[in-house]
């Protein structure tokens, strides 16, 4: 959804009484997603065929839910580039995916990144998502990943210290601070001591999307959330100042690398990722 459309909707929604706002927000989001699927140029449902990597391509409905557009090229190319970025950030900080290690795609969607882990790693790949339709598609189409349904709140369906590496791209960008804190604690539970977590936030590259009062909050080191009643959807956006991430969000973890997109424009463009990325390690 474009910034201009988001702003127009935002000011309109603020006029609606809070108890009814969530229903209206979700209704508008689903209508917008339906429009994306049927607008000129969208590939018809049921005619997707395999992707360029030879694996099944999710239907347009699921691609819109995950990446905000039905464009199959965008879905595949951003997934490929970001999987390469994730792997590179882990490896340059001493992380490795040895045979027998376990990886979790937290918020796996319909496997936009996971499909690119099918080759080149002998680690066991898991994925979880609260959307049952997305998980069902992964189970049917990506047999190399053990996909499971997770609830909107912890716990995850895994024992303590299960994973060597967890990645969460564009997940905390849609969560207010309270559920965000609960999920960070839950990820610490399922990561083995010495294991790594890579997550992204809407940070320094997104300042122009904030109103004056919101920007002042952000510059004070406080997270800003838009459309918080639609938490967990693409309509809700949470903006995280780097000082908040370093000082509050990663308690219990050791920071290994903070990749702020505006400081690395070439690498961020190559990864098609304007979000800030953080790699942290669970303390032994």
């Amino acid at each position: 959804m474009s910034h201009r459309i988001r702003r127009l909707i935002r000011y309109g929604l603020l006029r609606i009484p809070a108890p009814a706002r969530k229903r209206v927000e979700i209704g508008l989001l689903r209508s917008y997603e339906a429009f994306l699927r049927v607008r000129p140029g969208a590939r018809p449902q049921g005619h997707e065929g395999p992707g360029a990597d030879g694996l099944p391509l999710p239907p347009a409905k699921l691609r819109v839910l995950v990446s905000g557009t039905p464009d199959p090229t965008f879905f595949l190319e951003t997934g490929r580039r970001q999987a390469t970025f994730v792997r590179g950030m882990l490896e340059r900080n001493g992380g490795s995916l040895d045979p027998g290690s376990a990886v979790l795609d937290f918020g796996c969607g319909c496997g936009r990144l996971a499909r690119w882990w099918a080759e080149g790693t002998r680690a066991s790949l898991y994925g979880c998502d609260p959307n049952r339709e997305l998980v069902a598609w992964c189970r049917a189409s990506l047999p190399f990943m053990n996909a499971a349904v997770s609830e909107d709140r912890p716990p995850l369906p895994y024992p303590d210290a299960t994973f060597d590496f967890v990645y969460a791209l564009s997940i905390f960008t849609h969560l207010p601070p309270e559920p965000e804190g609960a999920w960070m604690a839950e990820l610490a539970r399922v990561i083995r001591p010495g294991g790594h977590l890579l997550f992204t936030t809407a940070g320094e590259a997104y300042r122009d999307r904030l109103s004056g009062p919101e920007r002042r909050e952000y510059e004070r080191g406080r997270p800003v959330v838009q459309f918080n009643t639609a938490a967990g959807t693409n309509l809700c956006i949470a903006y995280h100042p780097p000082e908040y991430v370093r000082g509050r969000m990663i308690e219990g973890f050791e920071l290994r690398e903070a990749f702020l997109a505006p400081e690395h424009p070439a690498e961020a463009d190559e990864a098609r990722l304007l979000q800030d990325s953080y790699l942290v390690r669970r303390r032994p």
Side-chain angles (χ1 to χ4, degrees), residues 54-78:
L55 294 171
L57 189 66
K61 174 185 176 181
L62 302 189
R63 297 197 301 271
V64 169
L65 282 175
V66 167
S67 55
T69 172
D71 183 356
T73 300
F74 179 88
F75 177 85
L76 291 170
E77 188 64 8
T78 57

Side-chain angles (χ1 to χ4, degrees), residues 23 106 117 168 193 203 224 270:
R23 294 194 299 272
F106 178 65
W117 295 78
V224 173
E270 174 63 25

Side-chain angles (χ1 to χ4, degrees), residues 91-162:
E91 291 177 350
R92 70 173 174 258
N93 285 280
S96 63
L97 299 178
D98 300 323
S101 60
V103 178
L104 175 64
D105 185 330
F106 178 65
C108 62
C110 50
R112 187 177 66 91
L113 268 73
R115 64 191 298 129
W116 299 102
W117 295 78
E119 297 183 6
T121 179
R122 294 166 64 186
S124 299
L125 181 62
Y126 295 77
C128 64
D129 199 282
N131 186 306
R132 295 179 181 275
E133 187 175 6
L134 295 172
V135 170
W137 187 88
C138 287
R139 287 174 173 170
S141 307
L142 304 178
F144 54 86
M145 178 173 66
N146 186 332
V149 175
S150 58
E151 301 301 328
D152 291 330
R153 295 295 178 100
L156 291 171
Y158 308 111
D160 294 356
T162 298

Side-chain angles (χ1 to χ4, degrees), residues 74-88 112-113 116-117 167 169-170 198 200 268 270-275:
F74 179 88
F75 177 85
L76 291 170
E77 188 64 8
T78 57
R80 181 186 69 81
R81 289 171 181 254
Q82 290 168 16
T84 299
F85 171 84
V86 167
R87 190 189 302 265
R112 187 177 66 91
L113 268 73
W116 299 102
W117 295 78
Y167 62 88
L169 266 69
S170 297
L198 190 153
T200 64
E270 174 63 25
R272 298 293 190 267
L273 188 63
L274 287 179
Q275 297 172 14

Side-chain angles (χ1 to χ4, degrees), residues 211-232:
S211 66
E214 289 171 337
R215 185 173 298 189
R216 286 190 288 274
E217 280 292 289
Y218 180 92
E219 291 172 349
R220 292 187 184 106
R222 300 169 184 167
V224 173
V225 182
Q226 296 173 344
F227 303 114
N228 63 339
T229 52

Side-chain angles (χ1 to χ4, degrees), residues 193-194 254 281-284:
E254 172 192 2
R281 186 172 72 103
R282 184 184 169 194
R283 293 191 176 96

